[in-house]
Amino acid sequence: MSIENIFQAVIGLDIDKVVSEVNGEIEAGTDVNAILNDGLIKAMDVVGERFSAGETFVPEMLMSAHAMKTGVELLKPHLAGEAEKKVGTIVIGTVHGDLHDIGKNLVCIMLEGAGFNVVDLGVDVTKETFVEAAKEHNADIIGLSTLLTTTMCVVEETIDAIKDAGIRDDVKILVGGAPLNQDFADRIGADAFATDAGDAGKVARELVLH
Ligand code: B1M
């Protein structure tokens, strides 16, 4: 039993092993962030590199993603932290054209842990849906996630739609996802960028509390 075994089990598409190894590490009291970062996320990085190199294909990537999600579900109760009074409401989703949700789901967990009421709109979310949901839930923050360079422009279009709907001054906009960075966030008029799920919780609190 080790974090290395978790890493290997995700790469090896062995879901039963992911379950037994993750449960074993949790029971042994291993730091859950280490299980997440050094086991599950690191494995997905390798899967992504192999995909780029043409050494693995979409079905394998999907199975690894499923194995990783299974592991994350087991970690979830341990990641969310202590419940506390809600600091605000965040409406969050992966933008239109993008189906990646593993990172966004982790961000949701950390936002809940940071005390937010999280309204998760899922994946492939249109700009109209973001606007309607923000109004319906009286959101303090709109969170936009994307993993594809081809949908980075959709993040900007969604921000434009938020402005056009006349609610830009009522919400803060947080963006994130592997191809984004602070410069891009500044350029498209977002209020903040977060590098990872832990950072998202911290940055979101700063957005509403300061
Ligand atoms: Co896709 N995929 N994928 N994929 N996939 C990437 C992103 C890619 C980099 C792989 C590669 O080529 N190396 C590449 C994008 C290249 C590019 O755009 N430049 C790619 C591609 C090309 C594709 C397809 C086009 C493949 C195809 O069909 N030919 C296709 C697109 C489908 C679509 O979306 N329309 C596709 C499909 C898929 C699967 C469905 C098979 C699967 C997704 C399953 C799912 O999500 N349910 C998948 C996967 C698993 C990946 C990789 C391997 C892993 C992504 C992941 O889950 N990472 C990925 C390569 C990689 O990233 N290593 C890849 C783990 C996760 C914890 O990290 O998502 O970065 P991440 O999230 C982080 C941060 O980014 C940040 O915090 C998270 C947690 O720490 N963050 C935020 C994310 N959102 C945030 C929001 C915030 C703040 C922080 O505030 C709101």
Side-chain angles (χ1 to χ4, degrees):
M1 199 182 63
S2 70
I3 290 180
E4 171 65 19
N5 287 351
I6 296 171
F7 172 84
Q8 293 298 347
V10 173
I11 289 179
L13 317 176
D14 189 341
I15 293 181
D16 289 345
K17 187 144 192 227
V18 170
V19 171
S20 63
E21 291 287 335
V22 169
N23 277 334
E25 290 298 329
I26 293 171
E27 276 164 30
T30 306
D31 176 12
V32 285
N33 287 303
I35 302 174
L36 180 65
N37 294 321
D38 302 336
L40 299 169
I41 293 182
K42 203 167 139 194
M44 287 314 294
D45 284 344
V46 171
V47 171
E49 283 160 19
R50 289 184 181 173
F51 178 77
S52 296
E55 292 164 7
T56 190
F57 302 97
V58 172
E60 287 88 355
M61 199 151 86
L62 261 179
M63 283 169 75
S64 286
H66 181 53
M68 173 173 174
K69 276 177 133 175
T70 307
V72 169
E73 281 303 314
L74 298 172
L75 291 181
K76 207 170 164 179
H78 306 273
L79 285 169
E82 288 175 19
E84 54 177 284
K85 191 169 166 290
K86 298 297 174 208
V87 292
T89 294
I90 179 162
V91 161
I92 186 170
T94 304
V95 300
H96 183 49
D98 189 345
L99 303 175
H100 295 86
D101 68 354
I102 297 174
K104 185 263 301 163
N105 293 345
L106 276 173
V107 169
C108 291
I109 294 170
M110 297 313 274
L111 288 168
E112 280 168 12
F116 283 88
N117 171 33
V118 178
V119 180
D120 183 1
L121 304 176
V123 297
D124 196 17
V125 181
T126 63
K127 52 193 179 186
E128 293 83 7
T129 302
F130 275 111
V131 168
E132 286 312 311
K135 286 184 188 167
E136 182 188 341
H137 297 281
N138 199 15
D140 300 287
I141 302 178
I142 297 178
L144 306 174
S145 172
T146 198
L147 265 275
L148 298 172
T149 45
T150 46
T151 48
M152 287 169 72
C153 57
V154 183
V155 178
E156 184 171 13
E157 288 164 16
T158 306
I159 295 181
D160 290 343
I162 293 164
K163 285 181 195 154
D164 293 345
I167 59 168
R168 181 65 184 93
D169 292 340
D170 305 332
V171 291
K172 300 285 187 190
I173 300 175
L174 170 66
V175 299
L180 310 192
N181 57 34
Q182 186 64 56
D183 280 353
F184 179 76
D186 293 342
R187 192 154 51 76
I188 63 172
D191 293 297
F193 163 74
T195 50
D196 57 32
D199 194 35
K202 190 170 132 272
V203 170
R205 280 183 78 99
E206 282 165 9
L207 281 177
V208 294
L209 298 176
H210 296 119

